[in-house]
Amino acid sequence: MGGGLNIITRMQDDKTGGVPIRTVKSFLSKIPSVVTGADIVQWLMKNLSIEDPGEAIHLGSLIAAQGYVFPISDHVLTLKDDGTFYRFQAPYFWPSHCWEPENTDYAIYLCKRTMQNKARLELADYEAENLARLQRAFARKWEFIFMQAEAQVKIDRKKDKTERKILDSQERAFWDVHRPVPGCVNTTEMDIRKCRRMKNPQKVKKSVYGVTEEAQPQSPVHVPSQPVRKTTKEDFRKQITFLNMQIERHCLKMSKVAESLIAYTEQYVEYDPFITPAEPSNPWISDDAALWDIEMSKEPSQQRVKRWGFSMDEVLKDPVGRDQFLRFLESEFSSENLRFWLAVQDLKKQPLQDVTTRVEEIWQEFLAPGAQSAINLDSHSYEKTSQNVKDPGRYTYEDAQEHIYKLMKSDSYARFLRSNAYQDLLLAKKKVSVGRDVLASLSTS
């Protein structure tokens, strides 16, 4: 190994007649720090006293296969005796440093590539598949991986454009050695150093980006690349299913999450007895149950009525709010949606022996052809629910209930908040509250 490294060092040393490294002018751009394959072959023949060009090409290909030099235009780590451009690998990535990177490092690298928004850094198909596979494998720690990639991108952007271009190619060449293109030989799989390390389990794996793996779960074992097989319809179906799941994921920036949390806290501050003293008193401190009696009362306080406007869940979990909402829907001749939702909620609490009967009753009342209180379901939910009814259970109507909930939330609930019924109730409670405050101030004066 020492002799091999000596050859690489000599090849790069301009002062002792190394391979000429130069910047080549191309159309509208420059290609920095490259050598040609022919230059490398000539240097090997001259400096190692090799007479046969084939032997020099073979030796150069062994050096390239380990990643000490690499072609800049493709990812096949071999040496050609022509004008193909090559670049020397940075010493940091030399395999003689006993690199055996983790899959988390590979995930950080691929994730980083997706952030760099350059045509030359776009992921190849096999890399995109690897990224999707790693994202599933490391789902619990993906935020950690994403943050590391983001930090690396910020560091890279501070570097000189030419330097960054060279470093990008060297990093990519490193992964061409350790996670090669499908169909290419993985030169690191049967490496003698790995065989030795298998007998020495105390050997610590290195991390490319300085990310410590302590307290992190063990990475999945890297499987050597398999021969390329033809993509089947089932593969496409799985990919479509996965992509649909990704599209449906609700992602928010941390700043937006913080804003939402602050807004939620400000909205509910008067309902938190730790922050705002409860009126007339906190039952947990005073042993006076008056507050609970007020909350259970069918005459809701102004606070309760105001809270119904926060979300539809607040209306549905308050018995009085639920009754008011139902009355409003009855006035609009659309109460069947809420009655169905309530019936499904009740079904989840039924004894098991009564579930089958109750499922059938709900079907006949709301979903069967000619049902007395027919609800409007989309074809997908209706088809799924029809199948579920054949094997009844407490959650038979889960999909249908979710659809009806969204329908009420986007339509009926918004109209309820604008209705005279709700506005009159809200204003009436405000007037009562103001009247009490006036009487209290008069009595004290």
Side-chain angles (χ1 to χ4, degrees), residues 214-259:
E214 293 175 8
Q216 298 292 342
Q218 179 67 34
S219 298
V221 178
H222 171 60
V223 180
S225 300
Q226 299 297 320
V228 179
R229 66 178 180 82
K230 193 173 181 180
T231 308
T232 63
K233 287 183 179 179
E234 187 59 32
D235 293 332
F236 283 120
R237 286 195 190 99
K238 287 179 180 177
Q239 188 176 9
I240 290 167
T241 302
F242 170 73
L243 291 174
N244 282 334
M245 288 172 63
Q246 295 302 100
I247 290 170
E248 289 173 5
R249 285 182 64 190
H250 190 57
C251 298
L252 284 175
K253 289 184 178 179
M254 187 58 72
S255 59
K256 294 291 183 186
V257 173
E259 285 175 14

Side-chain angles (χ1 to χ4, degrees), residues 312-313 316 322 325-326 328-329 332 334-342 345 375-376 400-417:
M312 194 170 78
D313 288 327
L316 295 177
R322 204 162 50 233
F325 190 31
L326 184 59
F328 167 75
L329 293 176
E332 290 199 334
S334 59
S335 63
E336 66 278 354
N337 287 335
L338 181 54
R339 286 191 285 110
F340 170 76
W341 189 89
L342 292 171
Q345 285 295 94
I375 58 171
N376 186 19
Q401 187 189 35
E402 184 180 358
H403 177 79
I404 292 299
Y405 177 89
K406 289 177 180 176
L407 198 65
M408 290 192 296
K409 184 178 180 180
S410 62
D411 185 32
S412 305
Y413 172 66
R415 289 204 311 277
F416 170 65
L417 295 183

Side-chain angles (χ1 to χ4, degrees), residues 301-318:
S301 64
Q302 191 259 338
Q303 262 195 328
R304 274 173 71 183
V305 176
K306 180 183 172 184
R307 191 165 177 165
W308 299 347
F310 292 173
S311 70
M312 194 170 78
D313 288 327
E314 294 290 352
V315 175
L316 295 177
K317 71 184 183 183
D318 187 326

Side-chain angles (χ1 to χ4, degrees), residues 158-227:
K158 293 177 183 177
K159 292 173 182 171
D160 176 72
K161 186 178 179 181
T162 302
E163 180 189 11
R164 196 163 68 234
K165 193 172 183 179
I166 294 169
L167 290 174
D168 285 341
S169 69
Q170 289 172 332
E171 189 178 24
R172 189 159 187 174
F174 172 83
W175 289 110
D176 283 338
V177 174
H178 294 277
R179 300 291 187 273
V181 178
C184 288
V185 176
N186 190 333
T187 56
T188 63
E189 286 303 312
M190 297 303 294
D191 187 77
I192 188 65
R193 295 184 304 277
K194 280 196 174 183
C195 296
R196 289 180 63 191
R197 279 199 291 279
M198 288 172 70
K199 297 176 183 178
N200 181 19
Q202 283 74 34
K203 180 73 176 179
V204 179
K205 289 186 177 183
K206 296 178 73 175
S207 173
V208 180
Y209 305 110
V211 181
T212 56
E213 287 297 309
E214 293 175 8
Q216 298 292 342
Q218 179 67 34
S219 298
V221 178
H222 171 60
V223 180
S225 300
Q226 299 297 320

Side-chain angles (χ1 to χ4, degrees), residues 273 277-295:
E279 293 182 2
S281 63
N282 188 335
W284 297 104
I285 299 172
S286 64
D287 289 333
D288 179 7
L291 177 65
W292 291 336
D293 292 337
I294 292 170
E295 288 184 347

